Amino acid sequence: MSAVPAGHPHDRQQSKKAAASAWIGSALEYYDFFIYATAASLIFPQLFFPSNNPTVAIVASLATYGVGYVSRPIGAFVLGHWGDTHGRKYVLVLCMFLMGFSTIAVGLLPTYSQVGILAPILLVILRLIQGFAVAGEISGASSMTMEHAPLGRRGFFASFALQGVQAGQILAAAVFLPLAAYMPTEAFNSWGWRIPFLLSFLVIIVGYVIRREVDETPAFAQEEKQGEVARAPIVEAFTTSWPDMLRVVCMALMNVIPVVTTIFGAAYAVQAAYGIGFHKDVYLWIPVLGNIVAVIVIPMVGNLSDKIGRRPPIIVGALGAGLLSFGYLYAISIANVPLAIVMSILMWGIVYQGYNAVFPSFFPELFPTRTRVSAMAISQNVGTAITAMLPALFATVAPPGSANIPLTIGSIALAITAVAAVAAFSARETYRIPMKDLGQPRAVPVPQAEYDRLRNEAMA
């Protein structure tokens, strides 16, 4: 599919550039996405949704977090189409500009006390734009990196897109940590919370410079050269790939684990109504430490999936993370900070990465080049949109004062991760399928001995 032989130095250089672009782009874009999530849990209930009933304020604030996921399927349709008709490179630059400017605008918003109901309305509109923008990021970055990578290394290189996501979350919490810890509460609630949002100006500049350096992928360039670019990739995807799209929808429900860790877990631990009483700055360290471990684990698991296949890590990661959610929430319920940190590192930092590190290669490998970005973007974002209202659902079924919160929320999480595991089990294995045959249900994998030879060559 490439104009130069596999393993050629140019190929390798572009593989590394694509992985670096995916890493930095995802880190910067998800920094934007997660500073909102952090603020929605920690301070937005008081600033944008004042209410005499603290449960109402918490549910309303977490629902605006969910709104960002509601607009993601719409963004997936638009940005997926753009990625399959105009190229992977250009859709990623577009995503970044949309995300950066909408995040800066959140940092400039007036609060409820200043303009009344207009404040939460504007907040919701900007969150919709954020969700729209992020919808094309992972599918575009995953497709670009996977298509630039040699056979035998696709899992490893594609995993850097998700390593960037985790790094973006570390960055988001790292910016909030010193502010929450060292600023007086009044100053933080008045203007300090705006600083992380306004820093997104740097996101736009750095991200654009880096993404400009990456070539379009050989797979897309070849289709464009031969005049084979799909005119209606969305229609074609639904017509030819709907069973795999359905599988991806179900696997994307694994987003329940980040919801439990960083969103509901934060509200449960920090909001006074729940009575747990973790300090904001203490709680912020829990997902940070889990993410630091995840950054180390992700390329290892991506590399492992190039050896043993995509399905085993995803299945083990799904079921294991679902089971560990009980222990994580229990640790918060007994206000045991060290245990909460250990459970977070196990559930989020290690076991969940069996899914998280592998889906950036597995999902795009299920679809042909013509419809890859559209099919992955739509199905993955529909799956995450289904999990969008989980924070508000969790706060509703397990409100402040209710009994057995860890058992209630843990059971829901495990049931959802079991659905993801079954979907992965039912999918075909893709790691030894040549690029030109990806997306064909009856594609013949490269023989194991030949695959091992090509993989060793690519690693040399």
Side-chain angles (χ1 to χ4, degrees):
M1 296 299 287
S2 174
V4 286
H8 187 279
H10 171 75
D11 268 354
R12 294 182 184 184
Q13 188 183 16
Q14 278 299 313
S15 294
K16 290 175 182 176
K17 276 189 178 180
S21 163
W23 192 97
I24 292 168
S26 296
L28 297 176
E29 196 147 331
Y30 275 80
Y31 161 79
D32 285 356
F33 201 66
F34 281 101
I35 54 174
Y36 187 106
T38 307
S41 297
L42 298 181
I43 55 162
F44 281 0
Q46 290 79 26
L47 295 178
F48 290 93
F49 305 96
S51 169
N52 294 329
N53 184 336
T55 301
V56 170
I58 293 168
V59 170
S61 180
L62 293 180
T64 64
Y65 167 78
V67 161
Y69 284 96
V70 171
S71 61
R72 282 170 72 154
I74 302 166
F77 274 87
V78 176
L79 298 170
H81 174 86
W82 188 271
D84 281 326
T85 55
H86 292 79
R88 292 31 169 156
K89 178 175 177 174
Y90 295 105
V91 76
L92 290 174
V93 173
L94 176 61
C95 291
M96 197 171 48
F97 278 122
L98 283 171
M99 175 62 82
F101 286 118
S102 60
T103 305
I104 291 166
V106 172
L108 299 172
L109 277 184
T111 62
Y112 188 92
S113 63
Q114 293 169 316
V115 295
I117 193 69
L118 183 62
I121 290 172
L122 290 172
L123 187 66
V124 167
I125 290 169
L126 291 172
R127 186 59 176 174
L128 286 167
I129 297 170
Q130 276 195 329
F132 181 93
V134 87
E137 172 62 34
I138 289 300
S139 55
S142 299
S143 296
M144 172 173 262
T145 313
M146 190 275 289
E147 288 175 1
H148 268 300
L151 183 66
R153 298 290 275 160
R154 295 192 305 230
F156 173 74
F157 279 114
S159 72
F160 282 92
L162 262 290
Q163 193 190 44
V165 172
Q166 309 308 126
Q169 293 183 57
I170 294 170
L171 196 58
V175 170
F176 266 101
L177 272 169
L179 296 174
Y182 298 113
M183 281 190 78
T185 303
E186 282 186 17
F188 180 72
N189 289 347
S190 172
W191 58 269
W193 67 271
R194 299 179 184 274
I195 294 170
F197 291 90
L198 299 177
L199 286 174
S200 292
F201 179 69
L202 300 174
V203 170
I204 300 170
I205 298 169
V206 175
Y208 176 71
V209 169
I210 287 157
R211 290 204 154 153
R212 199 177 52 182
E213 293 297 309
V214 186
D215 293 345
E216 188 50 80
T217 71
F220 182 82
Q222 184 84 349
E223 294 224 328
E224 199 170 37
K225 184 180 175 183
Q226 295 174 350
E228 293 178 359
V229 173
R231 290 189 175 183
I234 295 169
V235 175
E236 195 173 315
F238 276 106
T239 305
T240 61
S241 302
W242 69 264
D244 286 318
M245 290 179 73
L246 184 59
R247 288 184 178 97
V248 171
V249 169
C250 293
M251 284 186 275
L253 298 176
M254 280 299 294
N255 192 59
V256 66
I257 297 299
V259 165
V260 166
T261 310
T262 58
I263 311 306
F264 178 77
Y268 184 34
V270 169
Q271 290 294 332
Y274 277 105
I276 304 296
F278 280 27
H279 291 293
K280 287 178 184 177
D281 54 336
V282 171
Y283 180 78
L284 281 170
W285 275 107
I286 293 176
V288 167
L289 292 171
N291 280 327
I292 289 170
V293 174
V295 163
I296 299 165
V297 169
I298 283 172
M300 297 179 186
V301 178
N303 188 52
L304 178 67
S305 78
D306 283 329
K307 291 181 183 176
I308 66 170
R310 314 294 188 222
R311 297 189 307 164
I314 289 180
I315 293 166
V316 171
L319 296 175
L323 287 168
L324 286 166
S325 66
F326 289 99
Y328 174 68
L329 292 166
Y330 172 73
I332 293 176
S333 74
I334 61 171
N336 188 325
V337 175
L339 184 61
I341 290 170
V342 169
M343 294 308 298
S344 167
I345 289 171
L346 276 175
M347 175 183 76
W348 170 255
I350 299 173
V351 177
Y352 174 71
Q353 303 312 320
Y355 162 78
N356 206 36
V358 178
F359 88 75
S361 52
F362 190 42
F363 289 3
E365 284 175 343
L366 288 170
F367 306 109
T369 302
R370 289 168 60 83
T371 62
R372 181 165 292 133
V373 182
S374 297
M376 178 179 170
I378 291 166
S379 44
Q380 188 207 356
N381 284 291
V382 167
T384 51
I386 293 169
T387 67
M389 290 304 159
L390 283 177
L393 171 68
F394 288 168
T396 305
V397 299
S402 59
N404 298 323
I405 289 176
L407 186 63
T408 303
I409 305 303
S411 298
I412 297 171
L414 178 59
I416 292 171
T417 60
V419 171
V422 170
F425 182 77
S426 73
R428 65 188 175 278
E429 190 52 82
T430 57
Y431 77 116
R432 289 192 286 125
I433 304 291
M435 179 69 69
K436 63 183 174 59
D437 296 331
L438 289 174
Q440 297 176 21
R442 296 182 182 177
V444 178
V446 172
Q448 188 68 54
E450 174 68 3
Y451 174 80
D452 291 340
R453 185 187 68 77
L454 291 168
R455 176 172 152 73
N456 289 333
E457 235 176 63
M459 293 176 72

